[in-house]
Amino acid sequence: MRKIAIIGGGQGGLLLGFGLIDKGYDVTLYSDRTAEQVLHARMASTAFMFESSLKLERELCLNFWEDLCPYGEGMHVDFRGPDGSVALSVQGRLGDNRGQALDQRTKFHRWMNEFSRRGGRLEIQSISLTDLDRISAENDLTIVAAGKGAISSLFERDAARSTHETPPRVLAAVLVTGSNLTGDRPWREIPFRPLRFNFIAGAGEYFSLPFYTHTRGECRSYLFEAVPGGPMDIFQQAKDGAEMLEAVRTCVKRLTPDQAEHVPDDMQLADANAWLKGSFTPTIRKPVGTLPSGRLVFGIGDAVVLNDPIAGQGANNTNRMVKAYLEAIVAHGDKPFDREWMEELFNGFWETSGQYTTAFTNALLKPPTPPIQELLGAASQVQAIADGFCRNFNNPPDFWPALGDLDAARALIAEKTGAAGHGECADVA
Ligand SMILES: Cc1cc2nc3c(=O)[nH]c(=O)nc-3n(C[C@H](O)[C@H](O)[C@H](O)COP(=O)(O)OP(=O)(O)OC[C@H]3O[C@@H](n4cnc5c(N)ncnc54)[C@H](O)[C@@H]3O)c2cc1C
């Protein structure tokens, strides 16, 4: 039985571990925290996952919360001027690409316990470079899924694929309950349970998603992506959850006064740890790390493809990587997991998927390019274009070629407009 070690008990490490156990591998997973510590920690993410990600978890019988999590059925996006006035709205349905957002504390705690139950070995240890050398000597393959953990810096930054030198946004997020936040129609004017996005020129963006956490059940997330030093950048002084909640109210009311009813007086944090703040520099790294002994380790997830959360793609991208890695490991049989195999696998993933996810994410961090302007303008008028745009979040390569080329964008608009007719825009906000 081939032995595989995984460093990191998060989205990528655990999911890959389950997939490998399912295929008969001998898997040891190293986590720097116990399941109980994860459960009672501050939240680290507000990840929404689309259908193809959920499908992979369903196939591995890891979808314990599928009936509890409220589905996000579509998106409503307001593009606003600096004064908060709405210049353009796009409202689209996700259809069968709909998704769910589950508290990662809830998920990883249960998955860690389940991992041992299914025959995986779980070691609680913060892995150092020295440990990694020992582990890689004992295993046929060692995969680092340590996310933004310091150890991921053993993978060299790929300057050609990385576009950021500093954090493009300063982040803050909360999970909340209260009036006009949960239920089937929290925004009365939107005919489905929405992912609610606001893009505010010069200030940044904020996102509110239907959410589930073990501490409160159904709730909502708010994620703020502030342009550093801009009018939304008011969260980093908050010292605790109460101050963070107050900053959320202030920010929403000040920048988007029409949204005041969605930060109601009875709004509460889901629990004392249901908030986060901070920033990081999105970085694409080389996938193969060389240890002092000369042995190799292979990166997956945020450890090597770390993007800003603006497009909600990090965990989704990680699941896509897990699927690609799992298939390739099985297909490789008993052959050695050498540098050539690792680079070919990662580069293949990058060419077909990762580069598009990264380019789409980076496009949202900048003022819209001409093709994006035309696509969004058309999406605000033609329902089929709005639905298509939203559905593509499930698989970013589907945004191409239209997203990167004005002629292709116009061809898509002509095709969809001809097929759907402008008459269908009646229920577009
Ligand atoms: C505010 C915010 C919002 C987000 N929203 C979305 C979204 O809507 N959709 C989406 O798809 N993605 C989203 N993401 C991104 C998503 O959370 C990550 O991309 C995803 O969790 C990455 O999975 P991973 O396995 O690479 O890393 P992680 O899930 O971070 O797991 C890494 C694990 O490794 C452990 N570790 C670190 N160092 C060591 C060590 N030395 N030894 C042992 N263990 C170690 C850590 O404790 C951690 O448990 C968001 C992120 C943020 C910050």
Side-chain angles (χ1 to χ4, degrees), residues 7-13 30-33 44-48 104 108 125-127 145-149 151 223 276 301-302 309 312-316 318:
I7 316 304
Q11 182 64 37
Y30 296 85
S31 168
D32 56 357
R33 297 177 296 168
S45 167
T46 51
F48 184 89
Q104 289 188 336
F108 299 163
Q125 191 184 344
S126 177
I127 298 303
K148 296 192 282 293
I151 197 162
L223 165 62
L276 64 82
D302 279 4
Q313 290 295 326
N316 288 290
T318 298

Side-chain angles (χ1 to χ4, degrees), residues 231-243:
M232 193 187 284
D233 190 3
I234 63 166
F235 295 96
Q236 303 308 306
Q237 309 304 325
K239 290 187 288 300
D240 56 29
E243 289 186 13

